[in-house]
Amino acid sequence: MRAIRDLLKKDPELLKLNAVDADIIKKRQRYERIIEDNFDKLEDIAKEAQSLIMTLQHWRLEAGEKIFEFGKAITAEYDLNIADIDRLFSEVLPNYTRGPLLGFLISGIYHEIIQETDVLFFDLSKHVGAVSGFGFKHPRGKIEMLGNRAFFLGVKMSGGEVELRGHAGSHIGKYLQGGKIAIKGNARNWIGHHMHGGSITIEGNAGDIIGKSMTGGEITVKGNAGGWVGDDMRKGVIRVKGECGPIDESDVRGEIFRWVAGQWKRI
């Protein structure tokens, strides 16, 4: 928003253009709204985000990438800060959308402004549906979440920490590059798929297909795990403290450990 105000100071005639170009007319109308006394930038962002989300296929990672980039752009345009992010997620967005892709959106919004010492907290119960994409490309600092039904958590992370106090869905740490993900409850399937670095810790149980095609990093499951642990694994370490399904040792080129007689034993 500050950038828009600066632009209007440099060119006061901008709102008086007798333009016929549709893009210019749309931009002019938007600027007119922004300079109104009762303009709420967070309400405007929520409306724009919902309009974009409705055009996307929610289950595709490309959709998450697109809404993430939208979030990055909107932060600069509206000069958002940490307090704005908290209000946007907890108070404004629940009035516009049920949750799909919101984690990708918030991750894009905080991506450039979060600092190493920052801790951002999000209560997922503010939204009635599943929330996907929190921690997408997370750069630094810590994200703490409370609640269940977080999917695609920490995809492609490269630093910092993401902690969920609750149960997670599937696709946690997909393509993980670095950083730490901690799930204080259970997680579902496809944990650490294609991960290259970093760590994932599941305090409870995990589902099927853990560490498939991983090439680095560490996954620790302190409860039980399902089948296909380490399927097509190239490198990296997986530890399962509880029971787990059969493991095809001929298809594992990393290290898998089980907790036996009070110590970790490599399979």
Side-chain angles (χ1 to χ4, degrees):
M1 185 166 66
R2 183 170 57 192
I4 293 175
R5 293 187 182 277
D6 291 342
L7 180 62
L8 292 176
K9 287 180 181 179
K10 293 179 181 179
D11 188 4
E13 300 298 313
L14 184 60
L15 297 182
K16 299 179 182 179
L17 290 174
N18 294 318
V20 294
D21 185 274
D23 290 337
I24 295 178
I25 293 174
K26 184 178 180 180
K27 184 178 294 185
R28 184 174 63 196
Q29 291 172 341
R30 181 171 177 176
Y31 289 171
E32 287 173 342
R33 292 200 315 273
I34 289 175
I35 62 177
E36 291 176 357
D37 291 338
N38 63 347
F39 175 74
D40 187 334
K41 61 183 178 182
L42 300 187
E43 292 282 342
D44 201 55
I45 290 170
K47 292 174 184 177
E48 282 194 60
Q50 175 62 1
S51 295
L52 176 58
I53 288 172
M54 291 297 291
T55 68
L56 302 174
Q57 296 175 314
H58 301 165
W59 60 92
R60 296 179 64 88
L61 192 55
E62 293 85 351
E65 183 91 43
K66 189 168 184 177
I67 199 71
F68 171 81
E69 292 298 331
F70 168 82
K72 288 176 64 177
I74 217 73
T75 298
E77 183 173 344
Y78 286 87
D79 193 28
L80 298 180
N81 56 42
I82 297 298
D84 290 329
I85 296 172
D86 179 61
R87 179 172 168 250
L88 178 65
F89 180 78
S90 300
E91 300 177 22
V92 181
L93 282 170
N95 298 323
Y96 291 89
T97 181
R98 289 182 174 271
L101 302 179
L102 287 188
F104 290 101
L105 171 66
I106 298 298
S107 297
I109 289 174
Y110 75 64
H111 188 268
E112 299 297 329
I113 60 178
I114 191 172
Q115 302 300 313
E116 291 285 356
T117 57
D118 285 337
V119 179
L120 306 186
F121 175 78
F122 298 99
D123 183 353
L124 302 185
S125 68
K126 299 292 184 179
H127 295 266
V128 297
V131 178
S132 297
F134 259 111
F136 183 69
K137 296 185 178 180
H138 183 69
R140 68 193 76 85
K142 185 176 183 180
I143 301 298
E144 294 182 349
M145 288 167 288
L146 176 65
N148 305 310
R149 296 172 299 177
F151 290 75
F152 288 95
L153 189 65
V155 174
K156 297 184 180 181
M157 264 181 73
S158 63
E161 300 178 56
V162 170
E163 178 183 293
L164 173 66
R165 299 196 293 272
H167 301 310
S170 300
H171 300 289
I172 306 304
K174 193 179 185 74
Y175 300 112
L176 187 69
Q177 304 286 336
K180 299 178 180 179
I181 300 175
I183 309 298
K184 299 301 183 179
N186 301 326
R188 292 176 65 181
N189 307 319
W190 295 94
I191 308 302
H193 182 209
H194 275 297
M195 71 181 287
H196 306 297
S199 67
I200 303 172
T201 301
I202 311 295
E203 296 284 345
N205 302 322
D208 296 325
I209 318 174
I210 311 257
K212 180 176 176 60
S213 302
M214 67 185 290
T215 60
E218 298 185 11
I219 301 174
T220 301
V221 179
K222 295 187 178 181
N224 301 324
W228 298 286
V229 173
D231 184 44
D232 195 31
M233 181 183 182
R234 316 292 175 78
K235 291 181 181 178
V237 177
I238 299 176
R239 297 182 178 90
V240 179
K241 197 166 187 179
E243 300 297 322
C244 70
I247 296 173
D248 183 0
E249 298 179 31
S250 66
D251 198 32
V252 174
R253 282 162 279 175
E255 299 177 88
I256 299 180
F257 293 86
R258 297 286 308 282
W259 186 256
V260 179
Q263 62 182 350
W264 291 108
K265 180 179 179 182
R266 182 176 178 179
I267 296 177

